[in-house]
Amino acid sequence: MTSASDVLQRVIAERRDMREGFRPDPVDDAVLTRVLQAAHRAPSVGLTQPWDFLVIRDPARRARVRDLAERQRAAYAASLVPARAARFDGMKVEAIREAPVNIAVTCDPTRGGRNPLGRATQPQMAPYSVACAVQNLWLAARAEDVGVGWVSFFDERELAAELGLPAHLEIVAYLCVGHVDAFPPAPRLALSGWARRRPLAWAVHNETYGHRGLPGEETVNLIDETVAAIGPLDEAAMRDARDHQARLTKPPGSLGVLEELSVRLAGLAGQCPPPLPEPAAVAVFAADHGVHAQGVTPWPQEVTAQMVANFLAGGAVVNAFARQVGAEVSVVDIGVAAELDAAPGLLPRKIARGTADMTQGPAMTPDEARRAVETGIEIARDLVSAGARCLLTGDMGIANTTASAALIAAFTGLPPEQVTGRGTGIDDATHARKIDVIKAALARHGLPRDGADPLEVLAAVGGLEHAALAGFILGAAALRVPVVLDGVIAGAAALVAGAIAPDALGACVAGHRSVEPGHSATVAHLGLRPLVDLELRLGEGTGALLALPLVQGAVRVLHEVATFDSAGVSGKRPGE
């Protein structure tokens, strides 16, 4: 016998946000009443029941509401990068006219009088209560075999005016309700590749935020779990890609490095051809460095926060290049010394207000380094879950080339003189000072050292952005998504990631060769071939963005170029 719990879990698992497939036949009044009754039984702060349900069947009114939604949809589409916009253009996002019933669910934040229980201290509990009612409605509808679609494309006050609502009411949800041809096996956004679900174990925290794990199970070690998911490139897919390249209408090997890149990306994806690496997302990890106090750069530390503001305003080189190649830019505050105001595109993930001075002690505590790596892993998963199919590294942090050179020397064993560059363009005296500072830091921590724990090395002389970038690379590799590396800061982070999980390098593409000497040493040590060599040393993700079209072109060849057989073109004669 099926238990009530089993039935409820099935209804929850099979609930879908329906956008299409609605039938025109009406919903029975008794069924609709039962659905609304379930919504009305939802918990509410102070038992105020701040919701009301406006049932709309009139085709003319639904057509006007649909026009309002279409304007908002168009505005959203205009904000997307081209690859996202193209995918969104073919996506059905509402069924306002197709569904026979629309329901506007409103919130009255004044219901219950002056001081209802619980709302005085938590006034936002009124709309939260209404959200509970919406969830009840949605589940009850699914149990009745009725589909529900939640419309999110509307201006709340514009819609309220169209519906003739009193000014003090707020619209929490606008729902399309009706019988459907079929419920899809999974959410449409997942089936279309627009987004993915997060694992439950990543969302459950025991006692302290960050201590993840399911009830009764061991705390999840995010780094260990991610590393365990990283595997080598798929040899069969790579063999298929090489065979396919040999059949394309071009001389074998004529695309040079791009051919081998396409083969590697097929191996990463485990299929040939691999998915097109678009949409692409660049994450700019920003942090400050305590070693700045040692006079390694003439630039004031405040520039880090100022440049973050410039990124968010869209005025930096990374923004210009991202617009040109159609990539989305997110800025991650992983350790900026200043407090940053909330802004669209800013992900506040501050671990500390910059690192400590590596010449006086470890730059980070072991916990700070671990948390920063975990944050990078999460950012990678979040961007991929939101639909990104290629990740690009970005960075910002005054004095971060000093920490990069220290990491490169520690992991490659090369002397600081060979891996320390001029960063933002320092003079000879400052360059000499920078080398001496790196030598002092390495000596203090006994680096380089055979068998050193990569995370200990990272904590000793790295930066918070290096730690987060290392996690970002590990996260991309675990998800089998390519990550295009920028310059010397990303290269130093890749050394950390490669030391933790060597197979993670299979996901890495060296976007360019920086003029910084440490970067040439890094890509040689990692066995990566830079795609672009333009004597860049800006950072921000700029070199990775310039290389992105090459990465995408390498894969597009496998998708779109005809074979000799399909095009009716004669191939090279055997023996010639």
Side-chain angles (χ1 to χ4, degrees):
M1 182 176 179
T2 304
S3 69
S5 175
D6 290 339
V7 172
L8 178 60
Q9 290 292 338
R10 181 180 62 79
V11 170
I12 291 172
E14 295 178 358
R15 180 182 61 177
R16 297 288 179 264
D17 188 6
M18 300 302 298
R19 309 291 179 170
E20 54 194 355
F22 280 96
R23 301 201 303 265
D25 45 302
V27 179
D28 182 78
D29 287 342
V31 170
L32 189 57
T33 299
R34 287 197 297 271
V35 168
L36 293 171
Q37 181 65 60
H40 195 55
R41 286 175 174 150
S44 60
V45 62
L47 203 60
T48 55
Q49 297 181 296
W51 49 72
D52 285 284
F53 308 100
L54 178 57
V55 179
I56 304 163
R57 293 188 176 93
D58 177 36
R61 169 160 280 182
R62 286 188 285 125
R64 292 196 299 272
V65 172
R66 198 267 183 182
D67 290 343
L68 299 181
E70 187 59 29
R71 287 206 297 271
Q72 296 301 320
R73 175 195 169 103
Y76 174 71
S79 73
L80 298 174
V81 297
R84 279 280 203 183
R87 184 173 293 183
F88 178 68
D89 185 56
M91 188 180 295
K92 179 75 171 167
V93 298
E94 49 79 20
I96 295 170
R97 290 188 300 186
E98 295 87 343
V101 179
N102 291 183
I103 301 176
V105 187
T106 67
C107 174
D108 183 348
T110 69
R111 189 164 295 157
R114 181 181 180 85
N115 191 24
L117 179 65
R119 199 177 66 204
T121 54
Q122 297 291 329
Q124 70 272 27
M125 290 300 293
Y128 293 170
S129 297
V130 177
C132 290
V134 173
Q135 294 301 321
N136 274 18
L137 185 156
W138 208 342
L139 291 171
R142 182 63 186 89
E144 298 276 0
D145 208 31
V146 170
V148 175
W150 192 326
V151 179
S152 56
F153 287 95
F154 61 85
D155 177 276
E156 194 266 346
R157 285 296 88 190
E158 186 178 51
L159 179 57
E162 166 58 38
L163 299 179
L165 298 178
H168 67 283
L169 294 188
E170 303 166 358
I171 300 175
V172 172
Y174 192 91
L175 308 174
C176 304
V177 180
H179 295 289
V180 294
D181 293 329
F183 289 91
R188 287 292 186 193
L189 293 181
L191 293 173
S192 69
W194 184 271
R196 301 181 186 178
R197 288 191 183 277
R198 297 177 71 215
L200 175 61
W202 288 44
V204 179
H205 305 256
N206 290 319
E207 304 292 348
T208 303
Y209 188 87
H211 293 178
R212 295 174 174 82
L214 299 178
E217 296 186 4
E218 293 292 325
T219 298
V220 172
N221 185 312
L222 210 58
I223 298 174
D224 287 350
E225 182 181 277
T226 301
V227 169
I230 298 172
L233 299 178
D234 187 291
E235 292 293 340
M238 294 172 70
R239 185 169 55 252
D240 290 345
R242 290 192 180 97
D243 290 345
H244 190 69
Q245 282 280 3
R247 297 195 304 272
L248 297 180
T249 50
K250 62 177 182 58
S254 59
L255 289 178
V257 173
L258 296 185
E259 290 194 17
E260 187 56 30
L261 174 59
S262 72
V263 169
R264 287 183 55 227
L265 294 181
L268 178 65
Q271 64 185 66
C272 177
L276 288 171
E278 57 183 44
V282 55
V284 181
F285 292 91
D288 282 304
H289 296 261
V291 74
H292 180 275
Q294 296 298 320
V296 294
T297 174
W299 292 85
Q301 197 170 65
E302 292 80 4
V303 170
T304 301
Q306 292 165 357
M307 281 303 299
V308 167
N310 193 23
F311 298 150
L312 296 172
V317 178
V318 65
N319 304 108
F321 285 1
R323 284 190 289 269
Q324 174 157 322
V325 301
E328 297 173 330
V329 178
S330 297
V331 183
V332 186
D333 174 10
I334 194 70
V336 179
E339 282 300 320
L340 304 178
D341 294 332
L346 176 65
L347 307 181
R349 304 291 190 273
K350 197 189 300 287
I351 303 297
R353 292 173 177 268
T355 55
D357 184 348
M358 70 172 77
T359 66
Q360 306 302 306
M364 293 174 277
T365 68
D367 182 64
E368 288 171 343
R370 175 189 60 79
R371 288 165 54 206
V373 173
E374 290 179 343
T375 299
I377 291 171
E378 281 204 282
I379 295 296
R381 181 173 285 276
D382 288 348
L383 291 176
V384 173
S385 294
R389 294 298 172 263
C390 184
L391 302 181
L392 291 78
T393 68
D395 62 86
M396 179 62 217
I398 296 301
N400 62 8
T401 58
T402 301
S404 297
L407 285 171
I408 293 167
F411 280 102
T412 66
L414 294 171
E417 294 91 338
Q418 290 188 28
V419 299
T420 304
R422 296 181 179 271
T424 51
I426 56 178
D427 59 22
D428 290 344
T430 307
H431 185 234
R433 170 68 178 163
K434 185 175 179 180
I435 293 171
D436 289 342
V437 166
I438 293 168
K439 287 181 176 179
L442 293 172
R444 181 179 184 91
H445 300 290
L447 298 172
R449 182 174 68 251
D450 290 340
D453 184 320
L455 290 177
E456 290 183 6
V457 177
L458 174 65
V461 297
L464 287 159
E465 74 269 54
H466 294 101
L469 283 165
F472 192 65
I473 294 166
L474 294 172
L479 296 166
R480 313 293 288 190
V481 170
V483 55
V484 185
L485 305 179
D486 194 39
V488 68
I489 286 82
L495 288 171
V496 179
I500 295 172
D503 282 336
L505 299 179
C508 294
V509 179
H512 78 115
R513 185 187 303 278
S514 169
V515 74
E516 287 284 304
H519 191 237
S520 290
T522 297
V523 294
H525 187 85
L526 295 173
L528 299 177
R529 171 72 179 268
L531 297 180
V532 175
D533 189 349
L534 298 174
E535 300 183 1
L536 305 177
R537 56 178 173 82
L538 177 58
E540 302 180 5
T542 51
L545 285 163
L546 288 174
L548 178 62
L550 298 177
V551 179
Q552 294 170 334
V555 175
R556 197 171 290 279
V557 165
L558 293 177
H559 280 265
E560 299 181 7
V561 175
T563 63
F564 283 105
D565 288 343
S566 68
V569 176
S570 299
K572 181 180 178 182
R573 296 184 183 90
E576 292 185 358

